[in-house]
Amino acid sequence: GDSVTQMEGPVTLSEEAFLTINCTYTATGYPSLFWYVQYPGEGLQLLLKATKADDKGSNKGFEATYRKETTSFHLEKGSVQVSDSAVYFCALIHTGNQFYFGTGTSLTVIP
Amino acid sequence: GAVVSQHPSWVICKSGTSVKIECRSLDFQATTMFWYRQFPKQSLMLMATSNEGSKATYEQGVEKDKFLINHASLTLSTLTVTSAHPEDSSFYICSAPTAGQGFVSYGYTFGSGTRLTVV
């Protein structure tokens, strides 16, 4: 069945460091891929998405490219800020309306 | 934007008691609500889908008599964990398609989640 495997955390970085959070997926066909972010005390918010192979989703300095050949959707940001501290979830949606989420990666950025 | 208000944020209850979790759509009508659960170090997993005015659909392995879902209005869906036990301790979160967006455009709004601890 469909599934998402996400890099385990927690991740701690200094401000302005480069961020990569790995995400790979298993699905037949062509799922849509997402990164959601959850800030403390808030609901999951859509960060970015990509709906077909080679698409690049981007938002707030974060990027992720849909790689069909490696079944990956790694999240990257060139220079993280303290305000980026949150839990990040990789997810896919395929047939129907059910999301499949990764386990979430907690990111803490220290000044 | 669309907001789903989920309460409580966290709750501690004694084993054998029941706990009710509410999700309200504040500025849109949620005809459908998805309920997810996350155990430590595991993924968010879909438990059930509720539709306003009809019975909820439960995923395989989820006890419908233990996790009672009610979706009596277009703005309120509730999940009641009945006769809670320590193994029910988990993070529960709801999600609704945003009105006017539909499923295709993937406009989903999530609640802030409820951390349930059963002692």
Side-chain angles (χ1 to χ4, degrees):
Chain A
D2 296 351
S3 67
V4 174
T5 301
Q6 185 175 342
M7 174 177 137
E8 285 193 27
V11 174
T12 302
L13 294 174
S14 297
E15 205 165 22
E16 299 184 0
F18 184 85
L19 168 71
T20 299
I21 301 178
N22 290 337
C23 172
T24 57
Y25 67 90
T26 300
T28 55
Y30 296 89
S32 293
L33 303 174
F34 305 81
W35 277 100
Y36 278 85
V37 57
Q38 184 174 29
Y39 298 104
E42 299 183 19
L44 270 68
Q45 301 172 26
L46 179 63
L47 179 61
L48 53 83
K49 68 180 181 185
T51 57
K52 62 183 187 295
D54 298 326
D55 266 3
K56 177 186 284 188
S58 61
N59 185 24
K60 299 181 180 180
F62 291 89
E63 292 183 341
T65 301
Y66 189 143
R67 301 285 188 201
K68 180 69 175 174
E69 64 275 15
T70 54
T71 61
S72 65
F73 194 55
H74 304 321
L75 182 68
E76 297 182 336
K77 186 173 185 182
S79 176
V80 293
Q81 305 300 313
V82 172
S83 57
D84 293 327
S85 298
V87 180
Y88 292 82
F89 291 89
C90 185
L92 71 81
I93 194 166
H94 197 192
T95 54
N97 305 304
Q98 180 176 347
F99 277 98
Y100 293 88
F101 287 92
T103 53
T105 302
S106 175
L107 169 67
T108 301
V109 180
I110 54 178
Chain B
V3 174
V4 171
S5 176
Q6 183 172 349
H7 293 282
S9 299
W10 58 271
V11 57
I12 301 173
C13 70
K14 290 185 177 180
S15 187
T17 61
S18 295
V19 174
K20 180 185 283 188
I21 301 170
E22 293 188 348
C23 281
R24 293 181 183 274
S25 56
L26 297 186
D27 48 6
F28 68 101
Q29 294 182 334
T31 55
T32 299
M33 191 73 75
F34 298 97
W35 287 93
Y36 292 84
R37 174 173 62 181
Q38 183 181 30
F39 292 111
K41 298 192 182 299
Q42 297 185 28
S43 305
L44 278 164
M45 297 294 292
L46 182 67
M47 297 175 63
T49 303
S50 70
N51 293 289
E52 186 269 335
S54 62
K55 288 185 177 181
T57 302
Y58 291 82
E59 296 301 304
Q60 192 173 11
V62 178
E63 300 174 59
K64 62 181 181 181
D65 294 331
K66 181 169 189 61
F67 298 99
L68 300 181
I69 291 175
N70 184 282
H71 197 150
S73 78
L74 290 171
T75 59
L76 176 64
S77 178
T78 62
L79 166 67
T80 301
V81 183
T82 62
S83 186
H85 291 283
E87 57 265 31
D88 298 323
S89 298
S90 186
F91 180 72
Y92 296 85
I93 194 166
C94 58
S95 171
T98 308
Q101 297 290 319
F103 297 120
V104 175
S105 60
Y106 308 118
Y108 290 87
T109 299
F110 286 81
S112 55
T114 298
R115 177 73 59 189
L116 170 64
T117 302
V118 185
V119 297

